[in-house]
C-alpha cells in the first residue's frame, strides 16, 4: 500500500471534488490493512462499508442514515450488529492505523492528547453524566472522551480513544488512554513526546506515570484557585514547584505555585514565533525556568522545565498569562516547547470540522464496546480524509 498525505491547498471546486473521491479510495486501502486482524472476510467487508458510510452519509451518522445511503433496512440491522453486538477487537485496528499513518506521513513530531465532550440528552448511553469539562471550563450533560491524535506536518487525525465512565478517575482515564496508544504504536512514533493538552492533570502523579513509561511529555498545568481565567483557574489546585535555577528569583524559597514563579521571571522571556491552525504567523512571549515537583520518594525527584506563555504585542509581553506547561524535555529550547503545544490548536480545529464530518461524536448506542468500535472506524474514516488533504479549519 502506498498512501501519501496530500498537503497541497484546494484551488478549485473541481480539486475539492477530486479529493473527496480520493478519500473513499484511500479508505478502501486503509481498511484492507488496518482491518486485517478481523478474522472473517465478511467482517472486513462490513468494516469497509461502515467506513464508506461514514464518509458518504450527510448529516448525523446513525445506523439508519448510513444504511439508507448504502443499502436499506437489512444493512441497518447488519451494521448495528457489527458494531454493537460483535466481539471483534478494536485495539489491533488502532495500532495498525497508527502504523499506516507513520508509513504515509512519517513519525509525528508529537502526539496530542485532548478531551472531547460529547453532549447527550438521554440517560441510557454509556458514560452519560452531568459533569464539568475542565478543558472548556463549563458544565455539560453527556460523555467525556479522551483522544490521542497523530499530528504530522500534513496530517492530524485520531488513533486512540478512551471514554470516562461514572466513578472513574478523570486523570487516570486520560493518562492511561494516551500511554496505551503510544505503546501500541511502536517504532519511531512511540518515542515521540506527548502534548497533554488536558486541563487539570499536569500533576506529579501524571509526570511520574510518563517517566516510568519512558515517554516524554509536555503537560498543561493549571494555576489553581484564584489564579484568574485563561490558565485553568480552579483546576489542579495544589500544584507546587521548587525553583531549581539559582540565577532566578524564588530559588531556595520553598514551594510556590506555577503562575507565581512564571510571573516573577517574565522579564527574562523572549518572543516566540509560531503558526496557528489556519497557517497564519503568530507571536508569543515565553519564558522557561527549571523546577522540581516535590515528591516524598527521593528517587522520583527530577528536574523539569516550567514554561509560561503570554500574548506578545508592541515588542513585549501582554499582561495575561495565557498558558503554562511543564515538561521533562529540559534540554529543549523554550520556543520549541511552545511550538509543540500549538499542535493542540490544530487538533481542536480539525476535531470540530472534519471530526464532525465523519461522525466521531455520533454513536448513540448503549454499550462501551460499541462506542469503541464506532470511534475506531470513524478514526479510519478521519484518517482517509486527512490523507486526502480534506482537513478544514472552520476559522479559515
Amino acid at each position: 500500500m502506498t498512501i501519501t498525505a496530500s498537503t497541497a491547498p484546494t484551488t478549485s471546486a473541481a480539486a475539492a471534488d477530486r479529493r473527496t473521491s480520493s478519500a473513499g479510495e484511500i479508505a478502501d486501502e486503509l481498511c484492507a490493512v488496518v482491518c486485517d486482524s478481523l478474522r472473517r472476510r465478511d467482517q472486513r467487508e462490513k468494516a469497509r462499508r461502515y467506513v464508506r458510510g461514514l464518509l458518504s452519509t450527510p448529516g448525523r451518522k446513525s445506523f439508519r442514515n448510513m444504511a439508507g445511503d448504502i443499502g436499506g433496512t437489512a444493512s441497518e440491522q447488519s451494521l448495528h450488529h457489527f458494531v454493537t453486538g460483535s466481539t471483534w477487537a478494536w485495539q489491533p485496528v488502532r495500532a495498525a492505523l497508527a502504523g499506516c499513518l507513520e508509513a504515509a506521513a512519517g513519525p509525528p513530531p508529537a502526539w496530542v492528547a485532548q478531551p472531547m465532550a460529547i453532549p447527550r440528552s438521554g440517560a441510557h448511553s454509556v458514560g452519560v453524566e452531568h459533569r464539568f469539562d475542565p478543558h472548556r471550563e463549563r458544565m455539560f450533560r453527556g460523555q467525556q472522551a479522551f483522544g490521542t491524535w497523530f499530528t504530522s506536518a500534513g496530517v492530524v487525525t485520531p488513533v486512540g480513544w478512551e471514554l470516562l465512565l461514572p466513578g472513574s478517575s478523570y486523570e487516570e482515564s486520560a493518562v492511561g488512554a494516551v500511554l496505551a496508544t503510544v505503546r501500541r504504536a511502536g517504532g519511531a512514533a512511540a518515542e515521540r513526546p506527548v502534548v497533554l493538552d488536558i486541563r487539570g492533570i499536569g500533576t506529579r502523579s501524571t509526570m511520574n506515570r510518563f517517566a516510568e513509561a519512558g515517554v516524554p511529555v509536555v503537560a498543561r498545568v493549571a494555576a489553581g484557585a484564584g489564579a484568574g481565567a485563561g490558565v485553568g483557574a480552579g483546576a489542579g489546585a495544589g500544584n507546587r514547584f521548587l525553583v531549581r535555577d539559582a540565577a532566578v528569583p524564588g530559588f531556595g524559597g520553598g514551594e510556590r505555585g506555577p503562575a507565581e514563579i512564571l510571573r516573577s521571571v517574565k522579564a527574562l522571556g523572549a518572543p516566540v514565533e509560531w503558526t496557528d491552525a489556519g497557517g497564519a504567523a503568530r507571536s508569543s512571549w515565553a519564558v522557561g525556568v527549571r523546577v522540581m515537583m516535590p515528591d516524598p520518594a527521593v528517587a522520583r525527584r527530577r528536574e523539569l522545565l516550567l514554561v509560561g506563555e503570554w500574548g506578545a504585542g508592541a515588542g513585549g509581553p501582554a499582561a495575561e498569562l495565557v498558558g503554562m506547561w511543564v515538561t521533562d524535555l529540559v534540554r529543549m529550547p523554550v520556543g520549541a516547547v511552545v511550538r509543540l503545544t500549538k499542535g493542540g490548536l490544530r487538533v481542536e480545529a480539525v476535531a470540530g470540522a472534519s471530526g464532525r464530518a465523519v461522525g466521531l461524536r455520533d454513536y448513540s448506542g448503549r454499550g462501551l464496546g460499541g462506542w469503541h468500535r464506532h470511534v475506531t472506524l470513524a478514526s479510519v474514516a478521519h484518517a482517509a480524509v486527512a490523507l486526502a488533504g480534506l482537513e478544514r479549519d472552520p476559522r479559515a
Side-chain angles (χ1 to χ4, degrees), residues 118 126 143 145 161-163 363 367-375:
I118 308 171
V126 61
Q143 298 162 317
W161 292 98
E162 187 59 271
L163 189 67
Y363 182 72
L368 181 62
W371 181 85
H372 273 290
R373 293 185 188 94
H374 169 82
V375 294

Side-chain angles (χ1 to χ4, degrees), residues 1-364:
M1 182 182 67
T2 56
I3 298 174
T4 58
S6 172
T7 57
T10 301
T11 57
S12 68
D17 288 342
R18 285 195 297 273
R19 289 201 186 99
T20 301
S21 176
S22 70
E25 296 171 1
I26 291 173
D28 287 347
E29 294 183 61
L30 281 173
C31 286
V33 177
V34 304
C35 296
D36 188 60
S37 59
L38 277 63
R39 294 190 300 271
R40 302 199 313 267
R41 180 183 297 178
D42 67 303
Q43 289 180 316
R44 296 191 290 273
E45 175 58 18
K46 287 175 182 176
R48 187 193 70 82
R49 290 175 61 208
Y50 196 90
V51 171
R52 277 285 198 157
L54 291 169
L55 289 170
S56 64
T57 304
R60 189 169 175 274
K61 319 301 179 185
S62 66
F63 295 117
R64 177 170 296 179
N65 289 345
M66 285 196 293
D69 192 60
I70 64 176
T73 304
S75 293
E76 178 183 352
Q77 295 172 348
S78 176
L79 292 176
H80 186 279
H81 181 267
F82 175 66
V83 170
T84 65
S86 188
T87 59
W88 58 271
W90 55 83
Q91 296 93 337
V93 177
R94 295 176 182 176
L97 177 61
C100 284
L101 291 166
E102 183 180 352
W111 303 92
V112 174
Q114 263 191 12
M116 184 175 74
I118 308 171
R120 287 276 183 269
S121 57
H124 300 296
S125 295
V126 61
V128 171
E129 282 189 317
H130 281 292
R131 62 175 86 246
F132 179 73
D133 180 1
H135 194 69
R136 292 167 180 80
E137 298 185 327
R138 66 181 182 222
M139 294 294 298
F140 78 104
R141 177 174 178 78
Q143 298 162 317
Q144 179 69 73
F146 301 104
T148 304
W149 293 67
F150 181 102
T151 58
S152 71
V155 173
V156 178
T157 193
V159 293
W161 292 98
E162 187 59 271
L163 189 67
L164 181 62
L165 299 177
S168 297
S169 162
Y170 187 92
E171 181 173 343
E172 175 60 31
S173 295
V175 172
V178 68
L179 286 177
T181 297
V182 172
R183 288 192 194 103
R184 283 196 298 265
E191 301 172 0
R192 303 300 176 177
V194 171
V195 175
L196 205 59
D197 190 15
I198 305 175
R199 294 182 185 272
I201 69 168
T203 64
R204 185 176 68 199
S205 61
T206 288
M207 300 303 289
N208 287 341
R209 284 282 303 278
F210 275 87
E212 290 162 5
V215 177
V217 62
V218 182
R220 185 181 286 277
V221 179
V231 289
N239 272 354
R240 310 289 286 178
F241 296 88
L242 296 170
V243 175
R244 298 290 293 165
D245 189 341
V248 302
F251 178 75
E255 299 177 19
R256 302 167 68 195
E260 180 185 0
I261 292 173
L262 290 168
R263 287 173 179 136
S264 72
V265 297
K266 180 180 180 181
L268 303 178
V272 174
E273 304 295 327
W274 50 277
T275 304
D276 69 15
R282 304 290 184 187
S283 178
S284 296
W285 184 272
V287 67
V289 59
R290 287 183 287 128
V291 298
M292 183 182 73
M293 283 183 167
D295 197 306
V298 176
R300 289 201 298 259
R301 297 174 189 171
R302 64 193 189 284
E303 196 167 272
L304 302 168
L305 183 67
L306 179 66
V307 175
E309 180 187 4
W310 291 260
E320 184 183 9
L321 180 61
V322 296
M324 299 188 299
W325 303 81
V326 64
T327 180
D328 49 13
L329 297 168
V330 294
R331 298 183 184 277
M332 180 174 283
V334 170
V337 174
V338 171
R339 283 187 285 273
L340 271 187
T341 68
K342 300 309 176 182
L345 297 179
R346 297 177 66 203
V347 167
E348 191 168 351
V350 169
S354 51
R356 183 167 53 250
V358 299
L360 283 174
R361 296 176 174 84
D362 284 355
Y363 182 72
S364 57

